[in-house]
Amino acid sequence: MAAAIKVSGLSHWYGEGSMRRQVLQSIDLTIEAGEVVLLTGPSGCGKTTLLTLVGALRQVQAGEVKVFGEELNGSSRSQRQQLRRRIGMIFQGHNLLRCLSSEQNVQMGSDLLPDLSYRARRDQAREWLRAVGLGDHLGKLPHDLSGGQKQRVAIARALAAHPQLLLADEPTAALDKQTGREVVELLQRLAREQSCAVLMVTHDPRILDVADRLVQMEDGRLSVSSLALQAG
Amino acid sequence: MNPLGWIAGFWRGRRIPLSWLLLTRQPVRLAVALAGISFAGILMFMQLGFRDALFDASVTVHKMFNTDLVLMSPRTKSSISMAGFPRRRLVQTLADPEVAGISPVHWNLLLWRNPQTRGTRSILTLGFEPGDPLFLDPELSEKATLLTQKGRVLFDERSRDEFGPVAKWFRQGRTVESEVAGKRLRVAGLFAVGPSFGADGNLLTSSETFLSLLPSTPAGSIELGLIRLNSGADAEKVAARLRQQLPKDVIVYTKDGFIEMEKDYWRSSTAIGFIFTLGAGMGFVVGCVIVYQILYSDVSDHLPEYATLMAMGYSLITLLGVVAREGLLLAVLGYLPAYGAGQLLYGVVQNATKLPVAMSNDRAVIVFTMILVMCMASAALAMRRLGDADPAEIF
Ligand SMILES: Nc1ncnc2c1ncn2[C@@H]1O[C@H](COP(=O)(O)OP(=O)(O)OP(=O)(O)O)[C@@H](O)[C@H]1O
Ligand SMILES: [Mg+2]
C-alpha cells in the first residue's frame, strides 16, 4: 500500500521578481497510512504552506508530492479537486456553512460519497455527530453552538467523507485548553478507528502526546524528531 | 428511459439543497430580492398589458363584423378618418361567384350631447341596414332590428363616463334621449364594445338615421363595404381577384388586413408601442440590477464558505450550479406574486379605463421568460465572483 504522503525535495516560493521569497526548502517527509504526525514550528516557517501543497489546494512548484501514490506536481485542476475528496480538512476557524444546521453541514461531507442514497448519507451524518458527542444538536445552526462544538462539527464533517488523510491546521487555536485537549483526543481516536493518516499543525505543547511522530519545522526546513510515543 | 425511475433516482441521489437554504436562511435578503423581482415583473405585466390592450381596443369594432373582405377608400388611413367611396363598387363585387352577400356601412365621428351635463363629445357612429347580418354576435344583429324606427340608436354601455349615465338610466327603464348633430335621438338598446384610441364611445344606428344626422353626405357614398363569401372560399384569392377587377378608387382588404391596417396606424402614428416597450424594458433593467446586487453580495458574503466547499472536493461547476439554482429559485418565487398582482391590477385597470386589459398566456410566458433571463444573467455575472474563492487561502 502506498504511503499516505510522500514528499521529496519540495520547495516553494511566494511573490514575483525581487519580491520572490523561498518559504519551503527541499522538504522530505513520508507519512504512512494510519499514522498521526504533528507538525510544529515558529510562526511563519511555512507549515500552512506545506499543508496546502499536500492538500492539493495549491500548485506544486518544485519537487515531488505524492498523495496516495498520486503525483501532484503538474497535476490539473480537476485532478486536484478529485483528490481533495479523499482528504479531510480541518481549519483553524471552523469554516462551517452558516446557513446549514450541524446535520446538514456534516452531510455536505457525506454528500461527496458516490452511490449512497440521500437517506443513507443523512444517517451517516447523524452517526458522525453522535460520535463527536453532538447527537442532541443535530438541528442547530453554527450560530447557536459553542466554539468547541463547532470544531467538533467540523471534525464530523471532515470524517464524513471517509478520508484516508486528515489535514488539520491549528484546530485548537480558537479553543480553551480543556476543550482543545478534548477535541484533539476525539480527532485522534476517530482517525485511528478509520485508520486515517493525520497531519496536524499545532502550537499547543500540551497535545503533543497524541502523535505517533513529531516533526519540527524551522525556516522552511524539517528537523525530524521521532518521538514514537505509542507504537501505532 | 422510465421517467418514474429517473425521478426516483434523482430523489435518491439528491444532495443538501444548498441554494434553497442559502436563500431561505436569509429572509430579509430574500424578501428584498423577491420584492425587486416582483416589482419588475409587475411593471412588465402592466406596460405590456397596456400596450396590447391599447392596440386591441383600437380594433374591437373591427372585430365585431361578420365579414370576410372589406372595401374601403384608398384615402382611408384609420378609423378616425374614414373617407367615402361609391357604393356601387360594393354592388359590383356581387358579380364574383364567391361573393355571398354585401353590407354597406356608414362610419363617422359625430358629436353626442351628454343628457345630464349637456356637454358634447365625439362618438364613433356606424350606420347600416338594420336587417343585414352585419355582426358576428347574433344577439346584436337581433337588437339592431330595433333601429328600423327612425331616430333610434344603440349605445355602447362601455363608452367612457363623459357621455353621461346613459346605460344606467336605460337599465332603470327611463327613456334616454339625447342630441347628435342637433337631431333628437332615443336610445333603443345597449351593446358592449368599449373605447379605443380613436373613439371614446360607440353608437349604432340605421343608415337612414345616420344620413339624417349628416345630410351633407354625398348620395351613394359609403365608408365601409362588408363582403361575405361562400363558406370554403379562399379570402386571399377572392381579394386578389377583386383588386384586379375593381377600379383604383377602392381597396380590398381581408378582415385580418383590415384589423392590421388599424393597428399599424396606431403603431406608426403614435409612440405608444415604443413607450410601453421601453417601460417594460426599464422594469427588466431594474430587476437585473436588483437581482445582480443580491446575488453578488450573497456570493461575496459566502466566499469563504464556497472556498471551504472547494477544499472539501466540490467542483467549481457544482458551486456555479448552486448560484444558478439560486437564480432559478428567485425567478420562480418572484414570478408567482408578480403574476398574481398582475391579474389583480388588470382587473383594477379594466374597471377604471374600460380597456380590454387581461392576462394572456403569451404575456404570462413572455414575462416569465424575461424574469428568467434577468435572474440567470444576474446569476451568471455573480458567478464570476466565485473565481475569487481560493481554497488555498482558507487555512
Ligand atoms: N499567499 C502568500 N503570499 C505571499 N507570502 C505568503 C503567502 N502565504 C504565506 N506567505 C508567507 O510565507 C511564509 C510562510 O507562511 P505560512 O503561512 O506557511 O507559515 P506558518 O508556519 O503557517 O505560520 P503560522 O504559524 O503563523 O501560521 C510567511 O512568511 C508568510 O508571510
Ligand atoms: Mg499557519
Side-chain angles (χ1 to χ4, degrees), chain A residues 12-15 19 21-24 39-52 58 92 169-170 201-203 217 220, chain B residues 390 392-393 395:
Chain A
H12 199 82
W13 292 263
Y14 281 124
M19 299 295 289
R21 217 164 57 74
Q22 187 163 14
V23 290
L24 293 183
L39 179 62
T40 60
S43 185
C45 69
K47 305 182 294 292
T48 299
T49 307
L50 178 60
L51 228 53
T52 55
R58 221 184 263 289
Q92 184 169 346
D169 196 0
E170 305 187 47
V201 171
T202 184
H203 280 303
M217 189 181 238
Chain B
D390 183 358
E393 295 300 328
F395 264 122

Side-chain angles (χ1 to χ4, degrees), chain A residues 84 98-99 108 118 121, chain B residues 12 25 301 305 310 314:
Chain A
R84 289 203 291 267
R98 281 170 289 165
C99 65
M108 288 308 292
Y118 182 86
R121 282 177 270 126
Chain B
R12 190 178 173 277
R25 292 270 162 84
D301 286 357
E305 297 174 26
M310 285 167 103
Y314 282 94

Side-chain angles (χ1 to χ4, degrees), chain B residues 154-207:
Chain B
L154 296 179
F155 182 83
D156 178 4
E157 62 181 44
R158 297 181 58 206
S159 299
R160 292 188 58 88
D161 296 334
E162 286 82 351
F163 292 102
V166 176
K168 198 173 131 210
W169 288 2
F170 183 83
R171 284 212 189 82
Q172 286 169 357
R174 291 171 63 168
T175 308
V176 189
E177 293 198 319
S178 178
E179 236 174 58
V180 171
K183 302 263 170 18
R184 283 208 89 64
L185 293 177
R186 180 180 293 186
V187 176
L190 300 174
F191 68 105
V193 169
S196 64
F197 277 130
D200 292 336
N202 303 288
L203 210 57
L204 301 182
T205 189
S206 65
S207 293

